[in-house]
Amino acid sequence: MSFSIIATGSALPKKVVTNDDLAQFLDTSDEWIVTRTGIKTRHVATDETTSSLAVEAAKNALDMAHLSPSDLDLIICTTVTHDYITPSLACVVQGELGANCPALDINAACSGFLYALDVADGYFARGRVEKVLVVSSELLTRITDWRDRATAVLFGDGAGAVVLGRGDALRSIKIGAKGNPDPLYSPNVGGISPWRADKTEPECFLHMNGQEVFKFAVSTVSADLIDVAQEAGIDVSSLDHAVLHQANLRILDAAARKCGLAPEKMEVIIDETGNMSSACIPIALDRLVRSGRLHSGEWVALAGFGGGYTSGAACFKWD
Amino acid sequence: MSTFERVVKILNDMDAGEGIELTPSTTFEELGLDSLSVVEITMSCEDEFGIEIDTDSNPTTLGEFVELIDAKLGE
Ligand SMILES: CC(C)(COP(=O)(O)OP(=O)(O)OC[C@H]1O[C@@H](n2cnc3c(N)ncnc32)[C@H](O)[C@@H]1OP(=O)(O)O)[C@@H](O)C(=O)NCCC(=O)NCCS
């Protein structure tokens, strides 16, 4: 016995920025961005924070579950763009909700949500928990270099949450890491230690080798989907829905082709949201659940990939 | 089958360059392929030939691409 996803929630900042808005200050165009990425708009934080979006998404999920914060046995948050270096986002969320369970953060970049599910699976397996809240919240615009058209057009902000309860919807899960920081990274602050050898202060912005990441993403996510489907006892083509990390529509199309998944099974929110790192999968899942298109007995796969390199995938028979 | 013929087969499988006569001097641009499509074709060729091609090699014609593959196969 592992877990089922018993509720979902999400939150997006109010402000919507179009490609034409970006073309006002970057040498880019709606045509280039749409054909290369599928992105048309993204939600961008103005007065929202990583914590405020996380709390809003968490409350939406708890409402759907008809649970109160005191029912939670564990809170796991994932983010690479938290408001604080410390305390953890999970502790901030716990405080805001008024929960009293253990709370911890996981950083596995865009695969964070899958890593959180795998960690939660361990707590269920050890019989330590009945109800777990997982929240992925990101303000990618915080670490976006707004002078660099090659990356600035890709990212957005948002938060997604799920409540997990004892159950057997989860049929397979895998996570992986490759220890290759160079293709996608953002440095942390250097600090003012008088003993630090390098006195330069790095800019905490994302750097990316787009085509390297594209190759990694397509090959890893298609292989992971095949693996988790097989471990769940089905063929990829039998999946009813696939909810993948939303980094580029071209990655979703190429991955579907490579693993033999009908393209219409692929959930797409990137056109509206851009890449929100670990928040993409739970937000897309929340959309799918609330649209009424995900039915009991259907097969749904989740899969993420990102900086690190990290990756993760899971297969559910929805209940 | 020659490397060129195998590459042409991969292009055909991806519906690229339909109705265009493919020669070594045909460019990816003439085939209507942008840089990400070339990355996808590169990945298919990596699988087909069991090699790894750097993303910064940037071939522009099919001939250059075939040379790149043959060089990797000879390594
Ligand atoms: C970022 C990405 C869309 C770029 O596409 P690409 O085909 O690799 O583009 P390139 O960087 O080769 O650039 C192609 C051309 O477009 C230009 N270009 C780049 N960004 C541009 C923009 N926003 N608008 C207009 N032109 C742009 C480049 O300068 C280059 O021009 P040149 O050929 O004259 O030098 C693509 O690599 C990608 O999505 N990769 C995966 C990234 C990802 O998913 N990251 C997160 C993973 S969690």
Side-chain angles (χ1 to χ4, degrees), chain A residues 19-20 23 28-39, chain B residues 34:
Chain A
N19 293 341
D20 287 336
T28 188
S29 65
D30 181 56
E31 199 262 334
W32 193 95
I33 302 171
V34 171
T35 52
R36 296 297 171 114
T37 71
I39 300 168
Chain B
D34 69 11

Side-chain angles (χ1 to χ4, degrees), chain A residues 28 32 36 110 149-150 208 210-211 245 247-248 251 275, chain B residues 35-36:
Chain A
T28 188
W32 193 95
R36 296 297 171 114
C110 306
R149 67 175 182 172
M208 184 176 75
Q211 296 193 358
H245 172 49
N248 187 328
I251 293 177
N275 180 348
Chain B
S35 44
L36 286 181

Side-chain angles (χ1 to χ4, degrees), chain B residues 1-33:
Chain B
M1 246 202 290
S2 71
T3 305
F4 184 76
E5 286 163 338
R6 286 164 78 182
V7 169
V8 167
K9 186 170 177 309
I10 285 171
L11 288 170
N12 289 340
D13 287 348
M14 296 184 71
D15 300 327
E18 270 179 357
I20 299 177
E21 199 201 336
L22 301 177
T23 72
S25 59
T26 308
T27 64
F28 288 116
E29 204 179 334
E30 284 164 356
L31 297 176
L33 298 173

Side-chain angles (χ1 to χ4, degrees), chain A residues 35-37 209-212 214-216 218-219 248 250 253-254 257-258, chain B residues 14 34-37 39-40 42-44 46-47 52-56 58:
Chain A
T35 52
R36 296 297 171 114
T37 71
N209 179 334
Q211 296 193 358
E212 280 285 330
F214 187 92
K215 270 174 85 173
F216 165 76
V218 173
S219 58
N248 187 328
R250 301 278 294 269
D253 289 347
R257 244 192 327 270
K258 202 163 157 68
Chain B
M14 296 184 71
D34 69 11
S35 44
L36 286 181
S37 304
V39 174
E40 263 196 76
T42 304
M43 292 177 67
S44 299
E46 288 180 336
D47 291 345
E52 260 195 53
I53 304 170
D54 296 338
T55 46
D56 48 16
N58 290 325

